[in-house]
């Protein structure tokens, strides 16, 4: 049995040349939960980890430096393995997230009250107060192709609207297909049952895949806007936006091509591949 001082919550984040942004994350994590919590910061082979190490020492977080960049899901996996096995809930979040006071406790409450739920995600706000679409339906081939081809040149197209089709105005807790890996809480039993993140996704779509596998294992993914966090921006990828756009499209193709494996769907997968390349060309031209 876990001891009285064992953490019930394990907070894991992954850094890569993150710098000072981590301090705000760790400062806000202090007020995000009143439960015993352990924080593990996993660094994906940053050029210089001085600032991150100092921030961890200041706020009592554990720092785990990796010799190579394993990607987001791979870094989270290392953090979960490093952290306490007694933690009942795993908080997975980007280092450029700032938690609202009590936000983790609220997500844990939602999961405790709903034993069939495997994950819960908060309302994620941009720095200007707008809502980031962090809870969505699982993408289909039709939606994926339409969104890939028309998402940038015709933002109001029906496929993109369907892809982003969660009502963010309501405060009701409700099931969704998947939750953004920028911030979510996962029940550890559910996480371990499905084998955690698929580390073949270096970045992007590892959260879509996680939500899909939780659903397949009969765990619900819940959007819980009663909790909120602020996402300040993708600091670690902002200097390599073109390369990250290519990685995003590769991950999208990997997810959809694995979901639709029948030989008779080969022509559709070819169309998807072409659509993703068109979208990439439009963004990077």
């Amino acid at each position: 049995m876990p001891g009285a001082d064992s953490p019930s919550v394990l907070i894991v984040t992954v850094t890569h040349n993150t710098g000072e942004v981590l301090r705000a994350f760790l400062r806000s994590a202090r007020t995000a939960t009143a439960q015993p919590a352990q924080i593990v910061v996993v660094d994906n082979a940053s050029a210089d980890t001085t600032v991150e190490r100092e921030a961890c020492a200041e706020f009592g977080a554990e720092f785990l430096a990796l010799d190579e960049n394993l990607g987001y899901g791979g870094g989270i996996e290392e953090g979960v393995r490093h952290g306490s096995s007694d933690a009942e809930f795993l908080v997975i979040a980007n280092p450029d997230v700032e938690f609202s006071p009590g936000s983790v406790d609220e997500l844990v409450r939602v999961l405790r009250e709903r034993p069939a739920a495997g994950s819960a995600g908060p309302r994620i706000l941009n720095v200007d107060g707008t809502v980031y679409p962090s809870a969505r339906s699982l993408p289909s081939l039709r939606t994926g192709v339409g969104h890939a081809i028309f998402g940038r040149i015709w933002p109001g197209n029906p496929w993109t609207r369907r892809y982003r089709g969660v009502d963010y105005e309501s405060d009701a807790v409700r099931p969704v297909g998947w939750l953004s890996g920028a911030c979510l809480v996962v029940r550890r039993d559910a996480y371990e049952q499905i084998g955690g993140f698929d580390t073949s996704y270096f970045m992007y779509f590892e959260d879509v895949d996680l939500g899909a596998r939780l659903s397949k294992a009969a765990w619900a993914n819940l959007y819980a806007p009663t909790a909120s966090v602020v996402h300040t921006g993708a600091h670690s990828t902002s200097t390599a936006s073109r390369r990250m756009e290519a990685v995003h499209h590769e991950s999208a193709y990997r997810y959809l091509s694995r979901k639709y494996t029948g030989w008779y769907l080969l022509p559709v997968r070819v169309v998807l591949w072409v659509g993703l390349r068109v979208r990439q060309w439009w963004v990077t031209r």
Side-chain angles (χ1 to χ4, degrees), residues 100-176:
S100 298
S103 53
V104 168
D105 283 345
E106 173 62 13
L107 293 172
V108 168
R109 182 193 68 79
V110 167
L111 289 175
R112 287 193 189 280
E113 291 182 355
R114 298 163 176 82
S119 69
R123 174 179 279 133
I124 298 181
L125 302 174
N126 299 308
V127 289
D128 62 0
T130 58
V131 179
Y132 174 75
S134 61
R136 308 182 188 182
S137 302
L138 289 170
S140 64
L141 269 176
R142 178 183 298 177
T143 301
V145 170
H147 175 62
I149 294 175
F150 299 110
R152 296 281 183 176
I153 60 178
W154 177 21
N157 74 79
W159 302 281
T160 295
R161 289 202 310 271
R162 189 174 301 117
Y163 178 65
R164 300 175 182 269
V166 173
D167 176 16
Y168 291 98
E169 299 301 319
S170 170
D171 288 332
V173 175
R174 54 203 183 278
V176 295

Side-chain angles (χ1 to χ4, degrees), residues 6-229:
S6 298
S8 56
V9 171
L10 171 61
I11 301 174
V12 181
T13 191
V14 177
T15 59
H16 179 68
N17 300 321
T18 300
E20 288 291 343
V21 171
L22 182 61
R23 291 186 191 276
F25 172 89
L26 295 175
R27 185 178 296 110
S28 68
R30 278 182 163 180
T31 64
T33 177
Q35 303 178 70
Q38 178 187 21
I39 304 176
V40 177
V41 176
V42 182
D43 185 77
N44 262 334
S46 294
D48 183 354
T49 61
T50 302
V51 174
E52 289 88 345
R53 289 178 185 274
E54 290 175 350
C56 288
E58 179 182 351
F59 291 100
E62 297 179 33
F63 186 79
L64 177 63
L66 304 182
D67 294 331
E68 61 178 313
N69 189 341
L70 300 181
Y72 189 67
I76 294 294
E77 283 288 290
E78 291 296 316
V80 171
R81 280 194 286 267
H82 177 83
S84 171
S85 60
D86 290 338
E88 184 181 358
F89 298 99
L90 308 175
V91 180
I92 297 163
N94 286 358
D96 52 6
V97 158
E98 295 181 23
F99 298 96
S100 298
S103 53
V104 168
D105 283 345
E106 173 62 13
L107 293 172
V108 168
R109 182 193 68 79
V110 167
L111 289 175
R112 287 193 189 280
E113 291 182 355
R114 298 163 176 82
S119 69
R123 174 179 279 133
I124 298 181
L125 302 174
N126 299 308
V127 289
D128 62 0
T130 58
V131 179
Y132 174 75
S134 61
R136 308 182 188 182
S137 302
L138 289 170
S140 64
L141 269 176
R142 178 183 298 177
T143 301
V145 170
H147 175 62
I149 294 175
F150 299 110
R152 296 281 183 176
I153 60 178
W154 177 21
N157 74 79
W159 302 281
T160 295
R161 289 202 310 271
R162 189 174 301 117
Y163 178 65
R164 300 175 182 269
V166 173
D167 176 16
Y168 291 98
E169 299 301 319
S170 170
D171 288 332
V173 175
R174 54 203 183 278
V176 295
W178 64 278
L179 298 159
S180 171
C183 185
L184 74 158
V185 176
V186 186
R187 192 186 303 274
R188 191 188 196 107
D189 288 348
Y191 186 86
E192 292 182 345
Q193 180 185 339
I194 66 168
F197 277 109
D198 181 342
T199 57
S200 68
Y201 294 90
F202 180 78
M203 188 171 291
Y204 306 116
F205 270 77
E206 69 282 310
D207 45 9
V208 183
D209 175 77
L210 185 80
R213 287 186 292 117
L214 283 170
S215 295
K216 188 175 181 179
W219 292 100
N221 301 296
L222 299 178
Y223 176 56
T226 48
S228 67
V229 302

Side-chain angles (χ1 to χ4, degrees), residues 198 200-201 209 253-261 269:
D198 181 342
S200 68
Y201 294 90
D209 175 77
Y253 180 76
R254 178 177 289 110
Y255 172 80
L256 289 170
S257 63
R258 287 176 176 176
K259 183 177 179 180
Y260 299 97
T261 57
R269 293 201 296 273

